[in-house]
Amino acid sequence: MIDRRSLLRTGTAAAAGALGAASLSSPAEAAEPASRTGGHPADPDPTAGVTRTLLQEHPSPAAGWEAVQTLVQIPRHKESGRHSHPGIEVGYIIRGDVLMVFDDRPPLRLRTGDPFFIPNGVIHNARNVGTVTTMMLSTYVVDETKPLVTTYP
């Protein structure tokens, strides 16, 4: 698990590196062509260059919860890595094309201008499948006692 306070203070490639410690979810996926996975098959670090920048953080009206907003940038052929959050994520694709892959449901193709919602605890991975660096605005309402992001191999 990643300490939210550390992650939010850094907001740079170092935080993205910690965020992206996870790899593709299965050896079969790793062998698929780049067009299916969003990364290059031989890429040793599919999360390199992913950044999450803290924009704002505020206490929620509900005790024990807080609202956190970030700008997530995912370079071409890269991905966020499999992860979850201790609360909901409400997002918007500012620029780019993403294949949002979930452990428990079909993938969701998102393009510039598309909103998205990820329920509490759902494991997901945002893969840039477009031609530019993807920019996503992500707002979380999360348990303030837990790390913002938990990564999975």
Side-chain angles (χ1 to χ4, degrees):
M1 288 195 291
I2 298 171
D3 174 59
R4 173 181 21 240
R5 304 291 178 226
S6 299
L7 175 68
L8 294 176
R9 283 191 193 107
T10 57
T12 63
L19 239 186
S23 62
L24 295 173
S25 59
S26 74
E29 267 188 8
E32 290 182 1
S35 61
R36 290 286 312 265
T37 64
H40 289 73
D43 191 346
D45 186 0
T47 62
V50 175
T51 60
R52 177 174 271 126
T53 304
L54 175 66
L55 300 176
Q56 55 183 327
E57 181 178 23
H58 300 282
S60 169
W65 294 82
E66 68 180 341
V68 178
Q69 189 170 59
T70 64
L71 175 65
V72 180
Q73 296 187 67
I74 305 173
R76 287 180 60 207
H77 308 298
K78 297 295 181 174
E79 59 190 55
S80 63
R82 291 177 65 242
H83 66 282
S84 66
H85 307 285
I88 63 164
E89 177 179 0
V90 179
Y92 179 78
I93 307 298
I94 297 169
R95 177 181 72 194
D97 294 294
V98 169
L99 184 64
M100 192 71 70
V101 180
F102 302 94
D103 279 13
D104 66 347
R105 62 195 73 189
L108 179 62
R109 177 70 185 255
L110 300 165
R111 294 176 173 86
T112 300
D114 286 343
F116 62 93
F117 177 85
I118 300 176
N120 181 10
V122 169
I123 298 173
H124 58 287
N125 182 12
R127 294 180 176 155
N128 182 338
V129 294
T131 59
V132 299
T133 295
T134 293
M135 294 176 66
M136 303 185 320
L137 180 64
S138 289
T139 303
Y140 312 90
V141 178
V142 292
D143 182 332
E144 67 183 9
T145 66
K146 296 182 180 175
L148 177 63
V149 178
T150 299
T151 59
Y152 303 90

